[in-house]
Amino acid sequence: MKNRKIIRAFDAIQPDKALEARVLNKILQKRRRKRPVLKTAVSLATAAVICLAMFGAPLLTPRADNAFSIKAYAMEQQTDGSVALREVDLINLPHVWSAYIDDENIYLNVRLKCEGENIKSVDFFTDDAFFAKQYIKMKNGKIVTGNVSMLYVGESQTLAMYGTDFEIVGNTLTLDQDTMTDDLLLFLGTENIEGLVPSAMTVHAAVTFDDGETREETLVLDFTDEGVGIKSPAQ
Amino acid sequence: MIEPLPARGEDRPEKSFEEIYRQHFAMVYRVCFSYMKNAADAEDAAADAFLKLLKNGRVFQSAEHEKAWLLRTAINTCKDYLKHWRRSCADIADYENLQSASSFHIDETLKAVMELPAHCKAVIYLYYYEGYTTEEIAGLLKKPHATIRYHLREARNLLRGVLENEEP
């Protein structure tokens, strides 16, 4: 039941276009806001295993010209201590995803690589999370261990985490052929809310080719099956 | 340009975030202003409400569902702000100062509504301005129907005199 006085009263609150634009700008700024770099965490004491989701499948979209595809890669330690990159068949091969959980954030290991002809760079963007990086110390083709806590998952012992320091990048990440290196581990990070890993995350990839053309693809990573989560001792 | 929300529904045409924003901004802002009592805080609350929509990537079943979701989110966002902020809201008794800052005309009716307890404001706005029934309000706010009727009765008592001459 409407009331004229109340309608008139509220109708007086009439935001103008400038206000509308200003608030929209605020929204976009908040969305783009970067998180502070995570402080150094303590070394792992014990692992808490959380069974959660299965790593989703990448979107493979072959195209006639300027073809590219987004693939997932796993870094595996070989018997001689060296590491090799193996493309992960995320559709047919059961795969255990992994996560590191500390007081503030959850870091999900993903390794996305863009392969194709004439690729100049790739911009990854996600609304659901932020990107974080780790760089693996290598010497003579072998992983430097020492006091570094590392996480290996799956039957093939895939390296999923190297230490507990993460470089938080933000919700956009640009990689080119020079920066998509073998010692790079990529993570999707999200706020630690009761230690729950999100069921899915969406990542957009915009590829720029040498001739200036751009193409876009979208990945939906599904974390609704088995996985391994490691919590920091504080958790 | 703001990209479309992820389209997961089947039967409804994809609507961009910007379209939803422009269609409902005034409504959301109005609700936030009535709760926060000043333009600056209302802007922040409205921005956060729409940011939740953008992050959520929700696809709505209908236009009414979309509107109801935004209303509920705006109300809950304001309530969160009021719960957690260590500051007092602008004293509505200084509404003249408020008026000059906001450039809106705040009459006695609006002043009275803005003085209501938070749980009454939503009911008054939805019932008298948006024209929802108490049952619809209960569904929208996810509260028992009896609770909504009680809040409405409470608000009417507080607004006695202001709400005389209600429309039949």
Side-chain angles (χ1 to χ4, degrees):
Chain A
M1 185 187 295
K2 295 196 175 182
N3 179 283
R4 274 201 200 115
K5 282 188 179 179
I6 299 228
I7 290 173
R8 231 179 0 247
F10 275 105
D11 272 346
I13 307 173
Q14 200 60 247
D16 57 23
K17 289 294 175 191
L19 172 55
E20 192 176 297
R22 190 164 63 244
V23 173
L24 183 59
N25 196 39
K26 263 191 200 181
I27 294 166
L28 298 178
Q29 281 181 356
K30 285 186 181 199
R31 190 178 79 163
R32 281 195 292 266
R33 187 188 304 154
K34 290 188 179 183
R35 295 165 186 256
V37 175
L38 183 71
K39 58 185 179 298
T40 304
V42 299
S43 60
L44 293 172
T46 53
V49 176
I50 305 164
C51 290
L52 290 167
M54 182 174 69
F55 206 63
L59 182 68
L60 302 177
T61 311
R63 297 183 193 269
D65 300 315
N66 282 343
F68 81 95
S69 61
I70 303 173
K71 297 181 181 180
Y73 279 79
M75 178 177 279
E76 290 176 347
Q77 189 167 42
Q78 309 301 298
T79 50
D80 64 356
S82 64
V83 294
L85 286 183
R86 179 175 63 83
E87 185 182 331
V88 178
D89 182 350
L90 296 172
I91 297 171
N92 297 314
L93 186 69
H95 184 74
V96 176
W97 57 262
S98 60
Y100 175 71
I101 303 170
D102 67 17
D103 287 348
E104 288 184 30
N105 298 310
I106 298 174
Y107 299 89
L108 288 138
N109 175 262
V110 296
R111 189 174 175 86
L112 302 173
K113 193 169 183 177
C114 223
E115 288 192 341
E117 302 279 328
N118 311 316
I119 291 179
K120 185 179 174 186
S121 65
V122 183
D123 292 299
F124 290 105
F125 170 74
T126 178
D127 260 333
D128 298 339
F130 56 88
F131 292 101
K133 296 194 278 190
Q134 284 184 329
Y135 287 98
I136 301 163
K137 279 190 188 154
M138 309 270 280
K139 191 174 180 183
N140 301 325
K142 295 184 184 179
I143 297 174
V144 172
T145 53
N147 287 330
V148 180
S149 302
M150 291 184 283
L151 173 65
Y152 290 91
V153 294
E155 288 180 6
S156 49
Q157 286 296 283
T158 304
L159 180 62
M161 190 181 80
Y162 185 79
T164 53
D165 290 340
F166 297 86
E167 179 189 335
I168 295 177
V169 177
N171 63 354
T172 59
L173 172 70
T174 299
L175 294 171
D176 56 30
Q177 303 290 9
D178 293 329
T179 51
M180 176 64 89
T181 52
D182 292 348
D183 62 346
L184 172 65
L185 284 176
L186 272 179
F187 299 83
L188 275 175
T190 185
E191 257 188 272
N192 178 358
I193 299 174
E194 298 178 0
L196 296 175
V197 174
S199 58
M201 285 186 183
T202 302
V203 176
H204 307 281
V207 178
T208 303
F209 296 92
D210 290 337
D211 62 3
E213 187 185 353
T214 59
R215 294 268 175 90
E216 293 182 8
E217 292 294 350
T218 296
L219 281 167
V220 177
L221 304 177
D222 179 4
F223 301 105
T224 54
D225 212 328
E226 291 212 0
V228 174
I230 301 294
K231 289 180 174 177
S232 68
Q235 286 291 299
Chain B
M1 180 188 155
I2 302 168
E3 63 273 16
L5 295 168
R8 294 189 209 116
E10 281 186 5
D11 297 330
R12 60 180 296 276
E14 198 172 292
K15 212 172 166 183
S16 74
F17 168 78
E18 193 166 353
E19 281 175 313
I20 297 175
Y21 175 80
R22 300 226 183 269
Q23 185 177 353
H24 296 296
F25 174 71
M27 174 190 77
V28 169
Y29 184 81
R30 226 171 262 136
V31 169
C32 292
F33 189 89
S34 71
Y35 274 85
M36 306 312 299
K37 301 181 188 173
N38 70 85
D41 294 342
E43 282 184 34
D44 286 342
D48 276 351
F50 278 106
L51 188 61
K52 286 174 187 173
L53 171 66
L54 192 58
K55 284 184 173 177
N56 193 286
R58 202 177 181 96
V59 175
F60 299 103
Q61 298 154 6
S62 64
E64 268 309 309
H65 180 211
E66 177 183 284
K67 181 179 171 184
W69 190 92
L70 277 167
L71 278 168
R72 188 169 57 243
T73 302
I75 290 165
N76 289 336
T77 301
C78 291
K79 284 181 176 175
D80 286 344
Y81 270 46
L82 293 170
K83 253 192 293 188
H84 294 308
W85 283 2
R86 290 190 187 85
R87 66 149 189 72
S88 54
C89 290
D91 187 346
I92 197 63
D94 294 332
Y95 77 95
E96 286 88 358
N97 294 332
L98 197 64
Q99 185 170 335
S100 61
S102 67
S103 79
F104 305 129
H105 174 68
I106 299 174
D107 64 9
E108 291 298 318
T109 305
L110 184 58
K111 182 184 168 189
V113 170
M114 287 165 77
E115 281 180 332
L116 289 173
H119 60 265
C120 291
K121 278 185 208 187
V123 177
I124 284 292
Y125 175 82
L126 294 169
Y127 187 80
Y128 285 118
Y129 186 81
E130 294 288 345
Y132 287 105
T133 64
T134 50
E135 199 171 344
E136 288 168 334
I137 295 170
L140 193 149
L141 297 179
K142 299 190 190 301
K143 290 197 187 303
H145 190 196
T147 303
I148 298 302
R149 289 204 308 267
Y150 177 79
H151 287 158
L152 183 59
R153 196 161 51 243
E154 182 186 354
R156 278 171 171 158
N157 286 338
L158 291 169
L159 292 176
R160 197 174 295 130
V162 173
L163 293 185
E164 285 166 0
N165 309 320
E166 278 186 33
E167 281 189 332

